[in-house]
mmCIF file of all heavy atoms in Angstrom:
data_model
loop_
_atom_site.group_PDB
_atom_site.id
_atom_site.type_symbol
_atom_site.label_atom_id
_atom_site.label_comp_id
_atom_site.label_asym_id
_atom_site.label_seq_id
_atom_site.Cartn_x
_atom_site.Cartn_y
_atom_site.Cartn_z
ATOM 1 N N ARG A 3 64.330 -4.080 65.017
ATOM 2 C CA ARG A 3 65.575 -3.803 64.323
ATOM 3 C C ARG A 3 65.575 -2.345 63.850
ATOM 4 O O ARG A 3 64.515 -1.801 63.511
ATOM 5 C CB ARG A 3 65.727 -4.756 63.136
ATOM 6 C CG ARG A 3 65.907 -6.197 63.599
ATOM 7 C CD ARG A 3 65.308 -7.177 62.639
ATOM 8 N NE ARG A 3 63.853 -7.149 62.655
ATOM 9 C CZ ARG A 3 63.078 -8.032 62.015
ATOM 10 N NH1 ARG A 3 63.629 -9.009 61.319
ATOM 11 N NH2 ARG A 3 61.752 -7.938 62.046
ATOM 12 N N GLU A 33 32.919 -7.599 39.232
ATOM 13 C CA GLU A 33 33.389 -7.902 37.891
ATOM 14 C C GLU A 33 32.207 -8.031 36.938
ATOM 15 O O GLU A 33 31.074 -8.289 37.357
ATOM 16 C CB GLU A 33 34.202 -9.213 37.911
ATOM 17 C CG GLU A 33 35.545 -9.030 38.601
ATOM 18 C CD GLU A 33 36.051 -10.255 39.355
ATOM 19 O OE1 GLU A 33 35.209 -11.098 39.737
ATOM 20 O OE2 GLU A 33 37.261 -10.356 39.570
ATOM 21 N N PHE A 54 57.729 -8.477 22.695
ATOM 22 C CA PHE A 54 57.847 -8.213 24.139
ATOM 23 C C PHE A 54 59.282 -7.893 24.562
ATOM 24 O O PHE A 54 59.511 -7.396 25.651
ATOM 25 C CB PHE A 54 57.354 -9.399 24.978
ATOM 26 C CG PHE A 54 55.888 -9.720 24.818
ATOM 27 C CD1 PHE A 54 55.402 -10.972 25.156
ATOM 28 C CD2 PHE A 54 54.998 -8.766 24.343
ATOM 29 C CE1 PHE A 54 54.052 -11.276 25.021
ATOM 30 C CE2 PHE A 54 53.644 -9.063 24.199
ATOM 31 C CZ PHE A 54 53.175 -10.322 24.543
ATOM 32 N N LYS A 56 61.087 -5.655 23.508
ATOM 33 C CA LYS A 56 61.254 -4.199 23.551
ATOM 34 C C LYS A 56 60.377 -3.564 24.616
ATOM 35 O O LYS A 56 59.341 -4.099 24.995
ATOM 36 C CB LYS A 56 60.893 -3.591 22.195
ATOM 37 C CG LYS A 56 61.923 -3.847 21.122
ATOM 38 C CD LYS A 56 61.721 -2.866 19.987
ATOM 39 C CE LYS A 56 62.603 -3.234 18.797
ATOM 40 N NZ LYS A 56 62.232 -2.483 17.600
ATOM 41 N N TYR A 57 60.781 -2.357 25.072
ATOM 42 C CA TYR A 57 59.936 -1.590 25.980
ATOM 43 C C TYR A 57 58.660 -1.173 25.261
ATOM 44 O O TYR A 57 58.677 -0.925 24.050
ATOM 45 C CB TYR A 57 60.683 -0.349 26.485
ATOM 46 C CG TYR A 57 61.624 -0.685 27.612
ATOM 47 C CD1 TYR A 57 62.959 -0.942 27.368
ATOM 48 C CD2 TYR A 57 61.149 -0.777 28.911
ATOM 49 C CE1 TYR A 57 63.821 -1.295 28.397
ATOM 50 C CE2 TYR A 57 62.002 -1.118 29.948
ATOM 51 C CZ TYR A 57 63.335 -1.377 29.696
ATOM 52 O OH TYR A 57 64.174 -1.724 30.711
ATOM 53 N N TRP A 117 44.990 5.991 50.553
ATOM 54 C CA TRP A 117 45.945 6.819 49.803
ATOM 55 C C TRP A 117 46.324 8.078 50.591
ATOM 56 O O TRP A 117 47.482 8.478 50.612
ATOM 57 C CB TRP A 117 45.365 7.238 48.447
ATOM 58 C CG TRP A 117 45.355 6.150 47.433
ATOM 59 C CD1 TRP A 117 46.381 5.272 47.173
ATOM 60 C CD2 TRP A 117 44.286 5.787 46.549
ATOM 61 N NE1 TRP A 117 45.995 4.402 46.173
ATOM 62 C CE2 TRP A 117 44.721 4.694 45.774
ATOM 63 C CE3 TRP A 117 43.002 6.281 46.327
ATOM 64 C CZ2 TRP A 117 43.923 4.087 44.801
ATOM 65 C CZ3 TRP A 117 42.213 5.689 45.358
ATOM 66 C CH2 TRP A 117 42.660 4.602 44.609
ATOM 67 N N GLU A 200 38.780 23.627 34.333
ATOM 68 C CA GLU A 200 40.187 23.199 34.279
ATOM 69 C C GLU A 200 40.577 22.336 35.464
ATOM 70 O O GLU A 200 41.593 21.663 35.434
ATOM 71 C CB GLU A 200 41.104 24.428 34.271
ATOM 72 C CG GLU A 200 40.967 25.290 33.051
ATOM 73 C CD GLU A 200 41.987 26.415 33.067
ATOM 74 O OE1 GLU A 200 42.656 26.618 34.102
ATOM 75 O OE2 GLU A 200 42.119 27.077 32.019
ATOM 76 N N LYS A 210 35.195 -2.709 34.906
ATOM 77 C CA LYS A 210 33.789 -3.066 35.149
ATOM 78 C C LYS A 210 33.043 -3.149 33.816
ATOM 79 O O LYS A 210 32.792 -4.229 33.318
ATOM 80 C CB LYS A 210 33.138 -2.026 36.062
ATOM 81 C CG LYS A 210 34.019 -1.531 37.208
ATOM 82 C CD LYS A 210 34.264 -2.574 38.278
ATOM 83 C CE LYS A 210 35.104 -1.971 39.399
ATOM 84 N NZ LYS A 210 35.484 -2.939 40.420
ATOM 85 N N GLY A 216 41.137 -7.987 34.587
ATOM 86 C CA GLY A 216 42.395 -8.729 34.557
ATOM 87 C C GLY A 216 43.505 -8.044 33.797
ATOM 88 O O GLY A 216 44.672 -8.427 33.903
ATOM 89 N N ARG A 218 44.025 -4.564 33.921
ATOM 90 C CA ARG A 218 44.487 -3.389 34.663
ATOM 91 C C ARG A 218 44.649 -2.170 33.761
ATOM 92 O O ARG A 218 45.767 -1.772 33.428
ATOM 93 C CB ARG A 218 45.806 -3.678 35.407
ATOM 94 C CG ARG A 218 45.892 -5.002 36.113
ATOM 95 C CD ARG A 218 44.755 -5.259 37.088
ATOM 96 N NE ARG A 218 44.654 -4.217 38.091
ATOM 97 C CZ ARG A 218 43.548 -3.479 38.267
ATOM 98 N NH1 ARG A 218 42.481 -3.643 37.544
ATOM 99 N NH2 ARG A 218 43.538 -2.559 39.198
ATOM 100 N N ASP A 227 46.660 20.674 31.214
ATOM 101 C CA ASP A 227 47.607 21.003 32.294
ATOM 102 C C ASP A 227 47.547 19.982 33.433
ATOM 103 O O ASP A 227 48.569 19.663 34.057
ATOM 104 C CB ASP A 227 47.331 22.405 32.860
ATOM 105 C CG ASP A 227 47.690 23.492 31.847
ATOM 106 O OD1 ASP A 227 48.387 23.169 30.855
ATOM 107 O OD2 ASP A 227 47.258 24.639 32.046
ATOM 108 N N TYR A 239 58.060 8.303 38.488
ATOM 109 C CA TYR A 239 57.927 7.102 39.303
ATOM 110 C C TYR A 239 58.242 5.850 38.490
ATOM 111 O O TYR A 239 59.042 5.003 38.892
ATOM 112 C CB TYR A 239 56.504 7.018 39.888
ATOM 113 C CG TYR A 239 56.316 5.802 40.728
ATOM 114 C CD1 TYR A 239 56.904 5.724 41.985
ATOM 115 C CD2 TYR A 239 55.618 4.697 40.254
ATOM 116 C CE1 TYR A 239 56.789 4.586 42.753
ATOM 117 C CE2 TYR A 239 55.492 3.551 41.015
ATOM 118 C CZ TYR A 239 56.081 3.504 42.261
ATOM 119 O OH TYR A 239 55.974 2.361 43.006
ATOM 120 N N TYR A 242 57.295 3.292 32.333
ATOM 121 C CA TYR A 242 56.610 2.295 31.518
ATOM 122 C C TYR A 242 55.630 1.508 32.381
ATOM 123 O O TYR A 242 55.941 0.425 32.860
ATOM 124 C CB TYR A 242 57.632 1.322 30.933
ATOM 125 C CG TYR A 242 58.741 1.953 30.127
ATOM 126 C CD1 TYR A 242 59.985 2.193 30.688
ATOM 127 C CD2 TYR A 242 58.549 2.283 28.791
ATOM 128 C CE1 TYR A 242 61.011 2.747 29.937
ATOM 129 C CE2 TYR A 242 59.560 2.829 28.038
ATOM 130 C CZ TYR A 242 60.792 3.066 28.611
ATOM 131 O OH TYR A 242 61.806 3.609 27.863
ATOM 132 N N MET A 246 52.600 -4.115 26.995
ATOM 133 C CA MET A 246 52.135 -4.180 25.603
ATOM 134 C C MET A 246 50.725 -4.762 25.469
ATOM 135 O O MET A 246 49.897 -4.194 24.757
ATOM 136 C CB MET A 246 53.129 -4.960 24.752
ATOM 137 C CG MET A 246 54.375 -4.161 24.453
ATOM 138 S SD MET A 246 55.502 -5.117 23.403
ATOM 139 C CE MET A 246 56.847 -3.931 23.236
ATOM 140 N N ARG B 3 46.822 29.478 38.476
ATOM 141 C CA ARG B 3 45.548 29.117 39.078
ATOM 142 C C ARG B 3 45.804 28.517 40.463
ATOM 143 O O ARG B 3 46.831 27.875 40.686
ATOM 144 C CB ARG B 3 44.829 28.119 38.177
ATOM 145 C CG ARG B 3 44.392 28.752 36.856
ATOM 146 C CD ARG B 3 44.415 27.772 35.715
ATOM 147 N NE ARG B 3 45.783 27.399 35.338
ATOM 148 C CZ ARG B 3 46.078 26.684 34.263
ATOM 149 N NH1 ARG B 3 45.121 26.281 33.460
ATOM 150 N NH2 ARG B 3 47.335 26.366 33.984
ATOM 151 N N GLU B 33 67.679 -3.169 25.547
ATOM 152 C CA GLU B 33 66.778 -4.297 25.349
ATOM 153 C C GLU B 33 67.570 -5.509 24.862
ATOM 154 O O GLU B 33 68.671 -5.382 24.316
ATOM 155 C CB GLU B 33 65.698 -3.917 24.320
ATOM 156 C CG GLU B 33 64.704 -2.923 24.905
ATOM 157 C CD GLU B 33 64.123 -1.953 23.898
ATOM 158 O OE1 GLU B 33 64.774 -1.690 22.866
ATOM 159 O OE2 GLU B 33 63.035 -1.431 24.151
ATOM 160 N N PHE B 54 39.894 -12.398 31.244
ATOM 161 C CA PHE B 54 40.253 -11.008 31.574
ATOM 162 C C PHE B 54 39.132 -10.261 32.292
ATOM 163 O O PHE B 54 39.377 -9.208 32.871
ATOM 164 C CB PHE B 54 40.635 -10.223 30.314
ATOM 165 C CG PHE B 54 41.855 -10.722 29.604
ATOM 166 C CD1 PHE B 54 42.075 -10.388 28.270
ATOM 167 C CD2 PHE B 54 42.797 -11.511 30.246
ATOM 168 C CE1 PHE B 54 43.204 -10.834 27.600
ATOM 169 C CE2 PHE B 54 43.930 -11.967 29.575
ATOM 170 C CZ PHE B 54 44.131 -11.624 28.247
ATOM 171 N N LYS B 56 37.758 -11.037 34.935
ATOM 172 C CA LYS B 56 37.997 -11.100 36.379
ATOM 173 C C LYS B 56 39.282 -10.368 36.774
ATOM 174 O O LYS B 56 40.195 -10.227 35.980
ATOM 175 C CB LYS B 56 38.127 -12.560 36.826
ATOM 176 C CG LYS B 56 36.802 -13.290 36.862
ATOM 177 C CD LYS B 56 36.940 -14.561 37.700
ATOM 178 C CE LYS B 56 35.710 -15.421 37.573
ATOM 179 N NZ LYS B 56 35.881 -16.739 38.187
ATOM 180 N N TYR B 57 39.353 -9.965 38.040
ATOM 181 C CA TYR B 57 40.587 -9.388 38.568
ATOM 182 C C TYR B 57 41.675 -10.450 38.598
ATOM 183 O O TYR B 57 41.390 -11.636 38.798
ATOM 184 C CB TYR B 57 40.356 -8.838 39.980
ATOM 185 C CG TYR B 57 39.720 -7.483 39.963
ATOM 186 C CD1 TYR B 57 38.346 -7.333 40.078
ATOM 187 C CD2 TYR B 57 40.489 -6.337 39.776
ATOM 188 C CE1 TYR B 57 37.751 -6.080 40.025
ATOM 189 C CE2 TYR B 57 39.900 -5.087 39.724
ATOM 190 C CZ TYR B 57 38.538 -4.963 39.844
ATOM 191 O OH TYR B 57 37.969 -3.729 39.780
ATOM 192 N N TRP B 117 63.259 9.464 42.310
ATOM 193 C CA TRP B 117 62.386 8.905 43.355
ATOM 194 C C TRP B 117 62.584 9.633 44.676
ATOM 195 O O TRP B 117 61.625 9.917 45.394
ATOM 196 C CB TRP B 117 62.656 7.405 43.558
ATOM 197 C CG TRP B 117 62.083 6.545 42.487
ATOM 198 C CD1 TRP B 117 60.835 6.637 41.944
ATOM 199 C CD2 TRP B 117 62.730 5.451 41.816
ATOM 200 N NE1 TRP B 117 60.669 5.681 40.973
ATOM 201 C CE2 TRP B 117 61.800 4.930 40.876
ATOM 202 C CE3 TRP B 117 63.983 4.859 41.916
ATOM 203 C CZ2 TRP B 117 62.107 3.848 40.046
ATOM 204 C CZ3 TRP B 117 64.277 3.778 41.093
ATOM 205 C CH2 TRP B 117 63.353 3.283 40.171
ATOM 206 N N GLU B 200 69.074 -9.541 57.029
ATOM 207 C CA GLU B 200 67.648 -9.187 57.007
ATOM 208 C C GLU B 200 67.398 -7.857 56.322
ATOM 209 O O GLU B 200 66.270 -7.552 55.950
ATOM 210 C CB GLU B 200 67.127 -9.070 58.445
ATOM 211 C CG GLU B 200 67.148 -10.364 59.200
ATOM 212 C CD GLU B 200 66.513 -10.217 60.577
ATOM 213 O OE1 GLU B 200 66.232 -9.068 60.991
ATOM 214 O OE2 GLU B 200 66.298 -11.249 61.226
ATOM 215 N N LYS B 210 65.626 -7.223 30.764
ATOM 216 C CA LYS B 210 66.895 -7.331 30.034
ATOM 217 C C LYS B 210 67.202 -8.790 29.718
ATOM 218 O O LYS B 210 67.020 -9.233 28.598
ATOM 219 C CB LYS B 210 68.029 -6.723 30.855
ATOM 220 C CG LYS B 210 67.695 -5.458 31.605
ATOM 221 C CD LYS B 210 67.480 -4.250 30.715
ATOM 222 C CE LYS B 210 67.185 -3.009 31.575
ATOM 223 N NZ LYS B 210 66.843 -1.829 30.796
ATOM 224 N N GLY B 216 58.681 -5.421 27.368
ATOM 225 C CA GLY B 216 57.313 -5.038 27.009
ATOM 226 C C GLY B 216 56.254 -5.551 27.961
ATOM 227 O O GLY B 216 55.106 -5.101 27.923
ATOM 228 N N ARG B 218 56.717 -5.637 31.444
ATOM 229 C CA ARG B 218 56.812 -4.920 32.723
ATOM 230 C C ARG B 218 56.725 -5.877 33.907
ATOM 231 O O ARG B 218 55.702 -5.953 34.590
ATOM 232 C CB ARG B 218 55.723 -3.832 32.834
ATOM 233 C CG ARG B 218 55.494 -3.008 31.607
ATOM 234 C CD ARG B 218 56.746 -2.337 31.056
ATOM 235 N NE ARG B 218 57.414 -1.520 32.064
ATOM 236 C CZ ARG B 218 58.675 -1.713 32.469
ATOM 237 N NH1 ARG B 218 59.414 -2.679 31.967
ATOM 238 N NH2 ARG B 218 59.216 -0.943 33.358
ATOM 239 N N ASP B 227 60.152 -10.167 56.327
ATOM 240 C CA ASP B 227 59.664 -8.924 56.939
ATOM 241 C C ASP B 227 59.763 -7.736 55.976
ATOM 242 O O ASP B 227 58.920 -6.837 55.987
ATOM 243 C CB ASP B 227 60.443 -8.601 58.223
ATOM 244 C CG ASP B 227 60.114 -9.592 59.327
ATOM 245 O OD1 ASP B 227 59.130 -10.338 59.185
ATOM 246 O OD2 ASP B 227 60.873 -9.630 60.321
ATOM 247 N N TYR B 239 48.405 1.078 47.879
ATOM 248 C CA TYR B 239 48.445 1.949 46.710
ATOM 249 C C TYR B 239 47.586 1.391 45.579
ATOM 250 O O TYR B 239 46.755 2.075 44.998
ATOM 251 C CB TYR B 239 49.897 2.147 46.253
ATOM 252 C CG TYR B 239 49.983 3.032 45.044
ATOM 253 C CD1 TYR B 239 49.776 4.402 45.180
ATOM 254 C CD2 TYR B 239 50.194 2.508 43.778
ATOM 255 C CE1 TYR B 239 49.791 5.227 44.079
ATOM 256 C CE2 TYR B 239 50.211 3.325 42.670
ATOM 257 C CZ TYR B 239 50.014 4.687 42.822
ATOM 258 O OH TYR B 239 50.012 5.495 41.710
ATOM 259 N N TYR B 242 46.090 -4.501 42.686
ATOM 260 C CA TYR B 242 46.221 -5.363 41.508
ATOM 261 C C TYR B 242 47.168 -4.712 40.512
ATOM 262 O O TYR B 242 46.723 -4.055 39.574
ATOM 263 C CB TYR B 242 44.863 -5.557 40.853
ATOM 264 C CG TYR B 242 43.787 -6.105 41.751
ATOM 265 C CD1 TYR B 242 42.857 -5.264 42.352
ATOM 266 C CD2 TYR B 242 43.689 -7.476 41.974
ATOM 267 C CE1 TYR B 242 41.846 -5.780 43.154
ATOM 268 C CE2 TYR B 242 42.682 -7.994 42.773
ATOM 269 C CZ TYR B 242 41.767 -7.142 43.358
ATOM 270 O OH TYR B 242 40.772 -7.652 44.146
ATOM 271 N N MET B 246 46.976 -10.086 34.105
ATOM 272 C CA MET B 246 47.007 -11.537 33.866
ATOM 273 C C MET B 246 48.111 -11.964 32.911
ATOM 274 O O MET B 246 48.830 -12.928 33.199
ATOM 275 C CB MET B 246 45.642 -12.000 33.370
ATOM 276 C CG MET B 246 44.621 -12.065 34.497
ATOM 277 S SD MET B 246 43.013 -12.633 33.867
ATOM 278 C CE MET B 246 42.058 -12.574 35.397
#
Side-chain angles (χ1 to χ4, degrees):
Chain A
R3 293 148 289 188
E33 289 147 336
F54 296 159
K56 287 198 189 168
Y57 279 95
W117 285 316
E200 295 185 350
K210 320 290 182 185
R218 317 306 303 121
D227 291 346
Y239 180 73
Y242 304 98
M246 285 182 180
Chain B
R3 292 148 290 189
E33 288 148 335
F54 296 160
K56 286 197 189 171
Y57 279 95
W117 284 315
E200 295 185 350
K210 321 290 182 185
R218 317 306 305 121
D227 291 347
Y239 180 74
Y242 304 98
M246 284 180 181

